[in-house]
Amino acid sequence: MQTISDLPWLSILIVVPLVAAALIWLVPALQRVARTVGLVVSLLVLAGFVVMATGFDFGAAAEHQLTEQASWIPQLGVSYAVGVNGLGLALVGLSVFLVPVALLAAWREQEVVPEGAVVARRQAGFVALVLALEATMVAVFSARDVFLFYVVFEAMLIPVYFLIGSYGGPRRRYAAFKFLIYSLASGLIMLVGVIALGILGPGGPDGFLVDTLAGAELGVWQERWIFISFFIAFAVKAPMWPVHTWLPDAAQQASPGTSALLVGVLDKVGTFGMLALCLPLFPEASRWAAPVIIVLAVISVLYGALVALGQRDIMRLVAFTSVSHFGFIVLGIYVREEVALTGAMLYMVAHGVSTAALFLISGFLTQRGGTQQIAAYGGMQRVTPVLAGTWLVAGLATLSLPGLSGFVPEYLVLLGTFRVNIVAAAFAVLAVIAAALYILLPYQRMFTGPRNESLAALPDLGAREKWVVAPLVAAMLALGFVPGPVIDVLRPVAQEAAIEQPSSLDTATGAGPDGSSDAAAAVAEGSEK
Amino acid sequence: MLGTPALSARTAVVDAAAAGGAASYAWLMIALPLLGAAVLLLAGRRSDAWGHWLGVLASAGSFVVGLLVVLQLIGLEPDERVLSLHLFTWLPVGDLTVNAGLQLDPLSMSFVMLVTFVGTLIHVYSVAYMEHDVDRRRFFAYLNLFVAAMLLLVLADSYAVLFVGWEGVGLASYLLIGFWNHRTDYAVAAKKAFVMNRVGDVGLLLAMMMMFAAFGAVDFQGVFAGAAGASQGMLTVVGLLLLLAACGKSAQFPLQAWLGDAMAGPTPVSALIHAATMVTAGVYLVVRSGPIFEGAPGAQLAVVVVGAITLLFGAIVGMAKDDIKKVLAASTMSQIGYMMLAAGLGPVGAAFAILHLITHGFFKAGLFLGAGSVMHAMDDEVDMRRFGGLGKYMKVTWLTFAAGWLAIIGFPGLSGFWSKDLIIEAAFVGEGWRPWVFGTVALLAAGLTAFYMSRLFFMTFHGEERWAPTSEGKKQRPHESPALMTVPMVILAVGSVGLGAALVVGDTFTSWLEPAVGAVEHHDPVIPIPVIMGATIVLMALGVFLAWRQYGASTVPVEAPRGSVLTRAARQDLYQDAVNEGVFMRPGQYLTRALVYGDSAVVDGAVMGLARGTSGMGGWLRRLQTGYIRSYAAIMLVGVVAALVVVLAARG
């Protein structure tokens, strides 16, 4: 009798959706019931994840567990190696949680199709692409081989490309094209880095394993250049200022379900890559580049928030709020402080839930109203109260209201950052004010005020849509009030990634006019007692 | 038991779970209204018929639990009256481990009593006041949510958990100000309140960041223990940041501009949230943070100055407004200015600040409910120039309002007299210029208060009937409100009359608060107390007389006269909105517009231009764009193969 953890769970979670996608794509009989099959498969994957998680040793969440390893191209040192630590587990969990939700949300999206297309075929295509995307998401968050990671990292762009380019709004081809240019360019840059790692690394039959490469001795500038090549790819994906401009277009044109997965999960690959690859592979270069990255992160935080304020399209607005939030995540990672790192990782999960909710619920609205222009709506709270209420809940989570998912991670990032970098924290905290505006202003414009009579007959959320929203709202509340279990999984990973640093108050007040550094030091001593 | 100095923990903290009794069920105080709100929101229209009574019940349940806890505390020795109740670990983040815990002490329980008692009365009043509103159930859900958040705010045993309540009441306030958000200006008022509060919240967030960086803790015990050994500079910064937070929540200068607009909410909301409870949270924060402020005289001075400025600001604005609710809002600002001023004085005034907070909660809530009753009778009219002579049509409202009016102006013997007089005396304590300046301001404001409140009273209930026709063009027929509304008003009126004496005589209240806020240090004011008291009464009488001459005995014009420069400025809230607009909003809008333009023209343009300009890629991209989508897969494959070849070649 095998124990649960002996099964190759991660591979199962990768293969099942992939096979299902292929079957839906190829077997005409399945295409008529593609949505049902897709939902059932994604729920099975979710159930599989839950079973797998019971085999995860939460006491050793910093370790990579559920590992599988097989030689793939031994001549080159490439292996098929998967495994997750606490962070990987959380992100795989986020992915498999959001896929069924997004599929259910998109249930009726493809019922009206372009001329000449067949409804069942379109729906099957959509479902197959989402399932294929799910497979790559699980794979990318569990890859333990740099080459494997790179291959999946690139491969996952294909389903996304088709999801945007085939199932989006009127300018979807432009958006998909832009997404492709960014991905292609940054992917090629990263490829150079991967090749260089292969050449300069220790080599051997498993030379591309992250664990092998982590101890590799690279020259100072070799390490820095390879770091830069990786970081650019991750910064594009994250997305950080100034390489964020593909995201608003993609989010505006993609269907809400695609946007939810794209921004909610896929973009996390960027920040995941920073944590899982950049920090262990390039420790020195990561420290070296941190000051610049922190500045870029703080710019992203404020820039994303301010530009969001000026958007007229609700989907673009949500996309820009994400630029701001990714700024917080990157900030939390690169200050390398334990509390901030924990916050950054929790942020990745929390943001996935709240942003997916905001995209999906906004989608419910825009599908009813037929436009994404904020100004086209008005007084919708009196017309669709449940839609309005749940939008507000998702919005409040996005503006980091305590009690909902957004608050705890942002709080941890700010408190942790302040401890080692007062200036960065003091600037970043200003986004708290802008966040109130970028959520409440569109709420005011779309949901309050006099009713727009042409929209007065729109129906409120139906049963299916409520089933989409309910798990998201539950997750937002759970992450707000009892984030403990998730934090417990992430904190050991954060501890490993953190580095010793002097307290900012010592350095800051040492130079300050009040000369309180002695007191601060005395307090620090006192608290140690 | 803590081995910390007396400054940090005045009384040893006892585990409430071990103490047993009602205290171990103290979480019910928050859970009951929270559950009420959840049920009312989730049950939807099905609960329309009984939802409001569930709301009342939840609030009353909190009061009962609170009362039992208070009785339990009274049964303990004074120095054992600080209980803590650990619920669960909220943030298990190593260095930053934050517990969801409650602190049951005289300070927090005083608030609990105020919030749940006045809150329940206002719930009852709202049953009738909101009777004809189709969304009454949702109104009660929000009211319950507010009560839960407010109780969490005052019961929290750490700044982090306090912040949850702090923003929670902000949310409830936002929802309730915008309750009638089909009017755009009401929706804007709600958003304005939330955003200005967020400015203050940044202060609280930064304060917590400082606390964590300096003391490694954000819970009261840990922070106050750290504060005992911290430098004055550090504590001053933390104190000023806390003051910023308090200014936002309590509508103190310079973050006062939202409170007047918040009157857009239904009147019971104004009574509960924007008069009696939430807006006093800033005072609570300052008093609770006593150990920080005691080590930071600069921050204390700032608190006093802010209080003094707002005290006069509110009084001046209150004298000029014609909207009955806006006068009361300005008055609230002004009265909280008194509390702030007292709180900033340290142990000399902190207890008096809380005392005035409690008495004010009663009489101001009563005044607002009275105003609501008047509006109820007058087809939602708020312009006092359109009132007049209403006293004889609504005797109960007139009488209860009179009690509130006499209480707030400090008529000898009534609640406000006791609490305000103590603050004025405390303001005269000290050395150098301060007692003279602050004492004079506090004294002067008593006269102004008497003037604007008497103006309101006479314009509304006395003089000629200046009624405008109803919105349907009919003649106004004012009538007394139903018992569900008048009974709460009567109870609050009783409190307005008797509560001050009950709490002050024999120093009952200050000695009750002692375990939480410290003993009241006795100091002699720079002027003898009888002289201060006499001057206060003379100024009060003068204010009433002037108001009577102008608004009681003379004809009040229906159209407001042009007025002096000061009057016009005061009607415009001393141009607070113009200043905020010019200094913050406009530049912010320009910045946002410039960034939006720059994002597409400069940032996007540069990146996309770079991509197009790369000559080698140009052809590829064009082909991609024109439909050879699958080339992407080819590129990737080529790339991967190339990588393998290169690595293989290099490795040999």
Side-chain angles (χ1 to χ4, degrees):
Chain A
M1 181 80 192
Q2 283 186 314
T3 60
I4 284 168
S5 51
D6 289 340
L7 282 173
W9 277 106
L10 288 166
S11 297
I12 293 173
L13 295 189
I14 295 166
V15 170
V16 168
L18 200 59
V19 170
L23 288 176
I24 291 172
W25 182 256
L26 295 172
V27 182
L30 282 178
Q31 288 177 358
R32 274 185 295 277
V33 289
R35 295 180 301 190
T36 316
V37 174
L39 188 62
V40 169
V41 170
S42 63
L43 287 172
L44 282 176
V45 172
L46 178 58
F49 170 80
V50 173
V51 177
M52 177 182 88
T54 60
F56 188 87
D57 178 4
F58 290 89
E63 312 282 325
H64 283 84
Q65 305 177 33
L66 303 160
T67 52
E68 301 162 38
Q69 190 177 335
S71 203
W72 183 13
I73 316 173
Q75 297 86 341
L76 302 172
V78 177
S79 319
Y80 172 81
V82 290
V84 287
N85 60 6
L87 176 63
L89 186 77
L91 290 174
V92 171
L94 176 69
S95 312
V96 299
F97 169 69
L98 284 181
V99 166
V101 171
L103 279 176
L104 192 62
W107 198 258
R108 306 191 59 171
E109 253 172 39
Q110 305 306 329
E111 289 188 345
V112 182
V113 296
E115 213 174 316
V118 182
V119 171
R121 180 80 208 143
R122 291 271 300 175
Q123 286 176 346
F126 184 84
V127 172
L129 286 169
V130 170
L131 288 178
L133 183 60
E134 178 172 31
T136 58
M137 290 190 301
V138 175
V140 84
F141 290 132
S142 53
R144 294 300 299 149
D145 179 281
V146 175
F147 202 89
L148 176 68
F149 179 91
Y150 176 75
V151 171
V152 182
F153 183 77
E154 291 286 277
M156 70 194 314
L157 303 177
I158 298 172
V160 177
Y161 177 82
F162 285 107
L163 280 170
I164 300 173
S166 308
Y167 296 92
R171 280 169 52 79
R172 57 183 182 271
R173 283 184 191 279
Y174 171 76
F177 169 64
K178 198 166 178 178
F179 170 73
L180 197 60
I181 292 186
Y182 268 100
S183 305
L184 202 57
S186 60
L188 286 172
I189 293 170
M190 185 177 165
L191 178 62
V192 175
V194 173
I195 295 172
L197 256 189
I199 295 170
L200 300 170
D206 45 12
F208 267 112
L209 282 188
V210 176
D211 296 329
T212 312
L213 287 168
E217 300 268 327
L218 297 172
V220 171
W221 277 99
Q222 287 170 350
E223 186 189 328
R224 287 179 185 178
W225 280 114
I226 302 175
F227 166 80
I228 291 171
S229 77
F230 275 58
F231 185 81
I232 288 175
F234 296 148
V236 166
K237 187 103 325 147
M240 284 181 78
W241 185 89
V243 287
H244 63 276
T245 64
W246 63 271
L247 182 68
D249 286 313
Q252 182 182 12
Q253 298 302 329
S255 76
T258 307
S259 295
L261 290 178
L262 175 66
V263 185
V265 183
L266 201 75
D267 285 355
K268 268 45 172 217
V269 178
T271 45
F272 175 78
M274 294 175 194
L275 279 161
L277 296 183
C278 286
L279 297 189
L281 296 184
F282 319 112
E284 191 278 332
S286 294
R287 276 173 184 247
W288 163 75
V292 177
I293 296 172
I294 288 171
V295 170
L296 289 177
V298 173
I299 291 176
S300 294
V301 166
L302 297 176
Y303 184 95
L306 286 173
V307 177
L309 271 175
Q311 297 303 313
R312 299 197 179 95
D313 180 298
I314 184 63
M315 298 299 186
R316 287 184 75 85
L317 188 148
V318 178
F320 274 108
T321 67
S322 291
V323 173
S324 180
H325 289 153
F326 274 104
F328 271 110
I329 299 173
V330 176
L331 177 66
I333 294 172
Y334 276 91
V335 294
R336 303 293 289 279
E337 200 279 339
E338 188 191 321
V339 173
L341 272 159
T342 310
M345 293 182 209
L346 186 62
Y347 216 129
M348 290 162 72
V349 178
H351 173 261
V353 176
S354 63
T355 296
L358 211 49
F359 271 122
L360 294 177
I361 301 170
S362 300
F364 293 153
L365 178 70
T366 61
Q367 282 156 10
R368 284 168 167 73
T371 172
Q372 293 177 186
Q373 292 296 308
I374 293 169
Y377 298 91
M380 293 303 285
Q381 199 221 322
R382 293 290 188 286
V383 182
T384 55
V386 178
L387 194 157
T390 49
W391 195 95
L392 188 61
V393 171
L396 293 170
T398 301
L399 67 75
S400 299
L401 189 88
L404 291 166
S405 51
F407 173 68
V408 174
E410 197 160 301
Y411 184 73
L412 297 183
V413 168
L414 285 170
L415 259 66
T417 300
F418 190 90
R419 186 142 84 158
V420 290
N421 191 333
I422 290 182
V423 179
F427 273 103
V429 76
L430 295 176
V432 167
I433 304 170
L437 276 167
Y438 67 55
I439 291 300
L440 296 185
L441 207 58
Y443 184 81
Q444 176 197 318
R445 288 177 179 156
M446 296 194 299
F447 295 103
T448 74
R451 203 161 60 177
N452 182 339
E453 287 309 322
S454 63
L455 302 173
L458 294 182
D460 203 351
L461 292 189
R464 171 183 60 84
E465 290 163 321
K466 283 181 185 163
W467 277 106
V468 171
V469 174
L472 292 169
V473 170
M476 286 188 272
L477 285 168
L479 285 169
F481 283 108
V482 276
V486 186
I487 290 176
D488 285 338
V489 174
L490 298 174
R491 203 168 69 83
V493 187
Q495 277 172 325
E496 293 232 316
I499 51 179
E500 286 286 316
Q501 297 170 79
S503 162
S504 58
L505 283 180
D506 296 341
T507 42
T509 50
D514 55 30
S516 58
S517 62
D518 299 341
V523 170
E525 276 172 33
S527 64
E528 270 163 32
K529 286 180 214 162
Chain B
M1 304 300 120
L2 282 171
T4 43
L7 183 71
S8 59
R10 293 181 171 99
T11 311
V13 176
V14 181
D15 182 14
S24 49
Y25 296 99
W27 54 270
L28 274 173
M29 288 188 272
I30 298 160
L32 287 175
L34 196 62
L35 192 69
V39 169
L40 291 179
L41 286 176
L42 290 176
R45 299 254 163 248
R46 274 160 291 189
S47 55
D48 274 358
W50 44 266
H52 44 281
W53 289 115
L54 179 73
V56 173
L57 205 65
S59 178
S62 276
F63 172 72
V64 171
V65 178
L67 190 64
L68 292 174
V69 175
V70 169
L71 292 176
Q72 187 180 350
L73 284 190
I74 291 174
L76 297 170
E77 290 298 311
D79 59 355
E80 287 171 0
R81 283 181 190 162
V82 181
L83 306 182
S84 83
L85 182 63
H86 172 86
L87 299 176
F88 62 96
T89 302
W90 182 38
L91 305 178
V93 199
D95 290 357
L96 181 74
T97 295
V98 177
N99 290 318
L102 306 182
Q103 180 160 334
L104 312 166
D105 67 6
L107 178 59
S108 63
M109 291 315 295
S110 300
F111 265 86
V112 168
M113 286 290 96
L114 174 71
V115 172
T116 56
F117 184 74
V118 175
T120 305
L121 289 178
I122 290 171
H123 273 72
V124 172
Y125 177 95
S126 305
V127 171
Y129 191 84
M130 301 297 286
E131 194 178 354
H132 301 295
D133 197 300
V134 290
D135 290 320
R136 177 168 64 168
R137 170 189 53 86
R138 196 158 50 84
F139 183 79
F140 276 86
Y142 296 165
L143 276 189
N144 269 198
L145 177 67
F146 169 76
V147 170
M150 188 71 205
L151 293 178
L152 182 62
L153 193 166
V154 295
L155 286 169
D157 70 351
S158 68
Y159 285 97
V161 177
L162 177 147
F163 192 70
V164 180
W166 186 267
E167 289 241 313
V169 293
L171 170 67
S173 162
Y174 168 80
L175 293 169
L176 285 163
I177 295 170
F179 189 73
W180 289 320
N181 62 21
H182 48 275
R183 281 188 56 175
T184 303
D185 53 336
Y186 286 10
V188 171
K191 184 194 67 195
K192 180 178 179 181
F194 194 92
V195 172
M196 290 199 80
N197 266 290
R198 275 246 149 169
V199 176
D201 294 353
V202 164
L204 191 45
L205 279 171
L206 280 167
M208 284 191 276
M209 294 184 216
M210 287 284 284
M211 291 169 188
F212 179 55
F215 315 136
V218 290
D219 62 302
F220 294 148
Q221 277 194 48
V223 169
F224 299 158
S231 73
Q232 194 176 320
M234 174 89 67
L235 294 177
T236 305
V237 175
V238 175
L240 290 175
L241 290 168
L242 290 173
L243 174 61
L244 178 64
C247 285
K249 196 58 80 194
S250 291
Q252 298 293 289
F253 182 83
L255 295 177
Q256 78 290 352
W258 63 270
L259 186 61
D261 293 12
M263 295 300 119
T267 307
V269 171
S270 314
L272 178 60
I273 301 185
H274 305 119
T277 56
M278 183 190 84
V279 284
T280 57
V283 181
Y284 170 78
L285 183 69
V286 172
V287 172
R288 179 57 88 192
S289 307
I292 290 171
F293 283 97
E294 278 162 36
Q300 277 186 320
L301 179 61
V303 174
V304 177
V305 169
V306 162
I309 292 176
T310 318
L311 174 55
L312 286 180
F313 192 119
I316 290 169
V317 170
M319 290 192 293
K321 291 279 183 185
D322 291 329
D323 178 327
I324 186 169
K325 285 184 73 180
K326 298 223 164 163
V327 177
L328 290 176
S331 158
T332 302
M333 255 175 73
S334 176
Q335 296 298 312
I336 297 173
Y338 266 123
M339 300 171 208
M340 275 292 184
L341 195 157
L345 295 172
V348 188
F352 302 150
I354 300 298
L355 176 66
H356 193 53
L357 194 157
I358 302 279
T359 57
H360 173 260
F362 273 78
F363 56 69
K364 187 54 69 63
L367 289 168
F368 263 112
L369 294 190
S373 178
V374 168
M375 287 162 61
H376 194 72
M378 293 291 286
D379 190 40
D380 286 332
E381 179 66 74
V382 288
D383 186 356
M384 300 190 302
R385 292 188 184 277
R386 289 301 190 171
F387 291 160
L390 286 169
K392 54 182 167 294
Y393 296 94
M394 25 198 337
K395 289 273 188 241
V396 181
T397 304
W398 174 71
L399 216 71
T400 54
F401 205 96
W405 162 59
L406 292 172
I408 194 174
I409 66 174
F411 192 82
L414 272 65
S415 285
F417 166 79
W418 300 96
S419 53
K420 192 191 287 181
D421 211 60
L422 287 169
I423 293 179
I424 297 172
E425 284 165 23
F428 273 109
V429 171
E431 286 170 7
W433 57 273
R434 289 182 195 179
W436 296 102
V437 171
F438 299 134
T440 310
V441 167
L443 190 59
L444 196 65
L448 300 180
T449 308
F451 177 80
Y452 70 71
M453 282 310 301
S454 307
R455 173 176 177 268
L456 184 156
F457 187 73
F458 296 138
M459 276 176 94
T460 303
F461 293 101
H462 297 273
E464 298 154 31
E465 296 169 5
R466 304 177 298 274
W467 312 338
T470 65
S471 54
E472 284 136 17
K474 292 187 189 139
K475 195 172 174 298
Q476 294 277 13
R477 296 197 185 282
H479 51 86
E480 186 54 271
S481 299
L484 278 176
M485 287 168 69
T486 50
V487 169
M489 285 155 59
V490 170
I491 297 173
L492 288 172
V494 171
S496 307
V497 173
L499 190 63
L503 294 178
V504 173
V505 174
D507 291 333
T508 321
F509 193 65
T510 45
S511 51
W512 155 250
L513 279 182
E514 209 178 293
V517 304
V520 176
E521 295 167 22
H522 184 77
H523 293 283
D524 286 321
V526 288
I527 309 176
I529 289 177
V531 177
I532 298 175
M533 217 180 259
T536 312
I537 291 171
V538 167
L539 277 171
M540 181 203 76
L542 191 65
V544 175
F545 170 72
L546 289 175
W548 166 252
R549 209 185 53 177
Q550 199 175 343
Y551 300 100
S554 328
T555 308
V556 177
V558 173
E559 290 301 320
R562 191 158 180 275
S564 66
V565 179
L566 184 63
T567 308
R568 273 176 282 153
R571 276 186 199 139
Q572 297 293 316
D573 302 287
L574 305 180
Y575 304 113
Q576 61 189 12
D577 292 330
V579 171
N580 287 342
E581 226 165 84
V583 179
F584 300 106
M585 269 174 63
R586 290 278 161 67
Q589 283 168 348
Y590 290 136
L591 177 65
T592 300
R593 267 180 230 157
L595 285 178
V596 171
Y597 175 76
D599 190 64
S600 54
V602 183
V603 182
D604 193 30
V607 177
M608 292 302 280
L610 191 71
R612 283 197 195 90
T614 314
S615 55
M617 283 173 73
W620 277 86
L621 295 178
R622 210 168 307 121
R623 285 180 56 202
L624 281 172
Q625 197 174 15
T626 45
Y628 287 88
I629 296 164
R630 287 175 188 81
S631 320
Y632 176 68
I635 293 174
M636 208 201 92
L637 203 64
V638 170
V640 171
V641 172
L644 296 177
V645 171
V646 171
V647 174
L648 197 57
R651 286 268 168 212

